[in-house]
Amino acid sequence: MPGSDLPPAHLPMTADAVLARWPTGAWKRELVNGVLYFHGEFDERDVAAAERTYEGRHALINQANDLEVHPAAPGPPRSVLGPDTLEASARASDSKSQHPPPQENRGGQGGT
């Protein structure tokens, strides 16, 4: 249901509108340069729901599986994370998988 309390679709979102709207189940929500940013585990069903809730705006799920709702603009929306942030995140994930944390020695061998 579109609400008259929302800014026009082509304008950035406001903090007041963010605090009064869906999704309430998000772990955390932020307003980043006029883009609604919802932390959580989202999928394409959430994109469809977000675009119905925030009529005229464009939603996407970024590489972190978080949901972003962007002001209407020509072309597809670009994640607020940006390519530099996505590349750094990917490098950090690769580093963790290549260097797992050390295992704690619980055996009866060695030590006093």
Side-chain angles (χ1 to χ4, degrees):
M1 174 174 138
S4 59
D5 58 328
L6 293 178
H10 66 281
L11 294 177
M13 189 59 71
T14 65
D16 290 337
V18 170
L19 295 174
R21 299 291 263 190
W22 175 94
T24 57
W27 300 335
K28 180 179 173 185
R29 60 186 172 186
E30 297 181 63
L31 185 60
V32 180
N33 296 327
V35 174
L36 295 166
Y37 191 104
F38 298 98
H39 297 262
E41 293 291 324
F42 296 96
D43 63 27
E44 293 304 316
R45 294 170 297 179
D46 299 301
V47 169
E51 289 181 345
R52 285 192 309 268
T53 302
Y54 300 102
E55 187 175 350
R57 296 178 184 273
H58 302 286
L60 66 84
I61 296 172
N62 62 28
Q63 189 168 338
N65 288 326
D66 297 332
L67 178 69
E68 300 178 22
V69 181
H70 292 256
R78 294 174 52 188
S79 176
V80 297
L81 296 180
D84 295 336
T85 305
L86 295 175
E87 289 171 12
S89 176
R91 283 194 303 272
S93 292
D94 288 345
S95 175
K96 286 179 186 175
S97 65
Q98 292 174 5
H99 303 287
Q103 296 294 319
E104 184 178 324
N105 185 358
R106 295 183 184 225
Q109 302 174 3
T112 55

